[in-house]
Amino acid sequence: MTGRIGLDRVGAVAVITVDNTRIKNALTQQMARDLGAVCEEIDADASIGCTVIQGAGGTFCSGADTSTWAETYGDDPLSDEAYADTDEMYGSFVRFGELKAPTIAAVRGAAVGAGLNLALAADLRVAADDARLLAGFLAAGIHPGGGFFTLVRRLAGREAAATLGLFSQEVSGREAKGFGLVGVCVPDEDTEKTALEIAQHVARDPLVARRAKRSFNLETQSTPLPWAAALEVERGVQLWTQARRLRHQREQA
Ligand SMILES: C/C=C/C(=O)SCCNC(=O)CCNC(=O)[C@H](O)C(C)(C)COP(=O)(O)OP(=O)(O)OC[C@H]1O[C@@H](n2cnc3c(N)ncnc32)[C@H](O)[C@@H]1OP(=O)(O)O
């Protein structure tokens, strides 16, 4: 069995590396399980204030490892095992999306199918200008999965969901930035460095980063909150962090 999920620390930043370079970082079931496990590890460490996910060798991720499908499910593609494996694969992305601290996907090369889903599960995408974002499901003869339409629509609207999911158009990192699916666009060789710099910035105070992500989720994962309601949600936490900052300043004076 090839492929691994790497976990490294750079100061207060956790760096997850999807590493299965022979097949463009396609994800095996074991890698999906390992992704879930490293997320548990990251959440348990309160000193981590941001997580970057990246691919090894200049590719982000080519989706699920389809090379084993025929052998594993050939006799019964609707088996309990097939259902469970799909749940496990996408479940690990949901787990990644639920990380308590903010997350950044550093996208170089291809992000295809479930690999694009994984990039979309992050809070921010830093992509290479020439990164290749492609749903790829229809080309592989399967229906989009893992909440693909929901994720794209939430991030970039209906037109983007249609372009990528319904019409399977491949878009570059630069094009995706144009319609809001990608937050930051840089030359290929700067992608991971830029993602790490942004991560280090947000991770300077892990506790504040984690609390900010909770409010961010409340706002962005539900139907839009009326502005006044958002003020209600954020007021208490913001006051608390202001008080905490003042306390630190007093302690240092
Ligand atoms: C539940 C989840 C569902 C899904 O995720 S459905 C979508 C599944 N993904 C795909 O269908 C993507 C298929 N791959 C590609 O389109 C291309 O690859 C890329 C755009 C990612 C990269 O293209 P290039 O740079 O030209 O590389 P290359 O020569 O096509 O690939 C190198 C080797 O990697 C294997 N490979 C690529 N993607 C996968 C994959 N997803 N699962 C298993 N193997 C994969 C290839 O076959 C080949 O192998 P060899 O050198 O033996 O010919």
Side-chain angles (χ1 to χ4, degrees), residues 39 91-101 103 118 120-123 213 217 221:
C39 290
S92 72
F93 298 2
V94 172
R95 180 64 190 88
F96 170 75
E98 287 173 351
L99 276 172
K100 290 178 183 165
T103 54
L118 180 56
L120 298 176
D123 299 317
K213 175 153 176 181
N217 281 347
Q221 294 190 355

Side-chain angles (χ1 to χ4, degrees), residues 81-152:
E81 186 188 3
Y83 269 85
D85 283 353
T86 304
D87 279 350
E88 185 175 60
M89 178 73 61
Y90 290 129
S92 72
F93 298 2
V94 172
R95 180 64 190 88
F96 170 75
E98 287 173 351
L99 276 172
K100 290 178 183 165
T103 54
I104 303 176
V107 184
R108 296 178 71 188
V112 185
L116 180 53
N117 279 48
L118 180 56
L120 298 176
D123 299 317
L124 177 74
R125 277 141 296 285
V126 174
D129 292 324
D130 61 355
R132 301 174 57 191
L133 279 58
L134 174 65
F137 293 104
L138 288 131
I142 58 174
H143 190 279
F148 186 81
F149 290 122
T150 306
L151 288 172
V152 180

